[in-house]
Amino acid sequence: MTSATQNYDLKGIRIERIPSRDCVRRFKCGETSIDKWVSDKAFKHHDQDRSRVFCALKGESTAALGFYALSFSPILPTYLFGQHADRYQDGDAPFVYIEWLAVQRSIQSNGIGTVLLINALQRAYSVSRNVAIYGVALRALNDRTRAYYEGHGFVAREDSAFPLMILPIWTLRDLFEPRRG
């Protein structure tokens, strides 16, 4: 990732479902695996209901500044916190899974990734109001992304090159439900 050389104005950014293949055709975040997936598969997976892809757009532009993809994923109970594993002895725990989250290389480190992450978490919380989930999960791509997600409350549940990271449902509730009293 390169650091931004100037501040980017976040006003006018909207997050919407991927409108077309062209939206991400020239997307480059600097991570080959992400760049390849978004250009080759993002729209196809969205169209086939394999995941939902959301793009950050600004003004009248149809070129994505960043994007994320969401799906559901079962996670083994061994990755859950404390006594919660007992609740899922007969099967895996349901999660909203952030498959990918990336920002155009030229505008990284300007807050767009955080805007995308918060939007993804809001959508996961909305799902949790209607469908039971244990939380949100993702895999960190490297030490830098691991630190980024830890800074937003995710907890690594394994020590590996691409650790599974979890943000439990009670954290989403703390973020998005109004305080009582």
Side-chain angles (χ1 to χ4, degrees), residues 139-146 158-164:
R139 289 210 173 263
L141 188 61
N142 51 43
D143 289 339
R144 180 183 48 79
T145 57
R146 178 181 175 151
E158 63 185 358
D159 193 22
S160 69
F162 306 107
L164 177 69

Side-chain angles (χ1 to χ4, degrees), residues 74-179:
I75 305 285
L76 293 171
T78 56
Y79 292 110
L80 306 184
F81 297 97
Q83 77 282 10
H84 294 218
D86 293 342
R87 296 179 187 171
Y88 295 95
Q89 289 178 15
D90 58 345
D92 297 339
F95 280 83
V96 169
Y97 191 77
I98 300 175
E99 296 179 55
W100 306 97
L101 189 153
V103 174
Q104 280 281 13
R105 186 177 197 140
S106 62
I107 54 173
Q108 289 175 356
S109 300
N110 277 297
I112 295 170
T114 300
V115 169
L116 286 163
L117 179 60
I118 291 169
N119 187 269
L121 296 178
Q122 287 172 324
R123 289 180 195 277
Y125 173 73
S126 180
V127 166
S128 79
R129 304 284 292 151
N130 297 288
V131 179
I133 62 170
Y134 186 84
V136 178
L138 55 83
R139 289 210 173 263
L141 188 61
N142 51 43
D143 289 339
R144 180 183 48 79
T145 57
R146 178 181 175 151
Y148 174 80
Y149 290 118
E150 285 175 340
H152 286 86
F154 284 81
V155 177
R157 298 305 292 163
E158 63 185 358
D159 193 22
S160 69
F162 306 107
L164 177 69
M165 302 189 75
I166 291 175
L167 187 70
I169 189 62
W170 57 85
T171 302
L172 290 177
R173 287 184 190 130
D174 287 347
L175 285 171
F176 299 117
E177 288 182 3
R179 301 265 183 213

